[in-house]
Amino acid sequence: MKRYGSVIQLKPEKEEEYKRLHADVWPEVLAMIRACNIRNYSIFLRDGLLFSYFEYHGEDYQADMAKMAADSKTQEWWALTDPCQKPVASHGPDEWWSAMEEVFHTD
């Protein structure tokens, strides 16, 4: 299992819409997250920043992420959520959510 943390900005005018969407995530989207070996997934909000945390329990992260990206229902979901977000200033050239380095963990 590998832990992943990432960050993105939430557009201030989209905060209520984003919260509303995530209060009732589509079952198909949740099923795809699970099918792609993601567990213990949370998104936190503070001062306009979204922080995502999840645990990956698969063997081929890139293949699972490609599977998720190819899913039509997930694409529909992202068409609603992506306009609410804006990459952080330090994002990489191919990043939407920016990966974070884990510097500490304890059980």
Side-chain angles (χ1 to χ4, degrees):
M1 183 272 296
K2 180 172 178 179
R3 291 178 295 279
Y4 285 86
S6 57
V7 65
I8 197 166
Q9 290 182 309
L10 181 62
K11 295 177 182 175
E13 70 276 12
K14 298 288 191 170
E15 183 174 328
E16 291 309 312
E17 178 181 354
Y18 193 81
K19 286 181 178 181
R20 181 184 52 78
L21 287 166
H22 284 83
D24 190 23
V25 178
W26 302 342
E28 301 91 344
V29 171
L30 295 174
M32 181 55 58
I33 289 169
R34 188 154 192 81
C36 292
N37 299 301
I38 292 174
R39 306 289 184 273
N40 199 20
Y41 187 15
S42 299
I43 299 174
F44 299 88
L45 172 62
R46 171 79 185 221
D47 297 332
L49 290 174
L50 294 169
F51 167 70
S52 165
Y53 170 84
F54 62 85
E55 296 167 355
Y56 178 70
H57 289 262
E59 296 181 16
D60 189 341
Y61 182 77
Q62 295 305 324
D64 280 332
M65 294 307 99
K67 175 181 174 178
M68 185 179 296
D71 178 64
S72 63
K73 205 62 170 178
T74 299
Q75 291 171 5
E76 288 179 43
W77 177 256
W78 289 345
L80 296 174
T81 60
D82 283 5
C84 298
Q85 304 164 344
K86 179 175 126 180
V88 295
S90 62
H91 73 94
D94 295 324
E95 282 186 322
W96 184 248
W97 283 78
S98 293
M100 300 173 77
E101 176 185 3
E102 182 176 322
V103 296
F104 176 77
H105 172 80
T106 186
D107 285 327

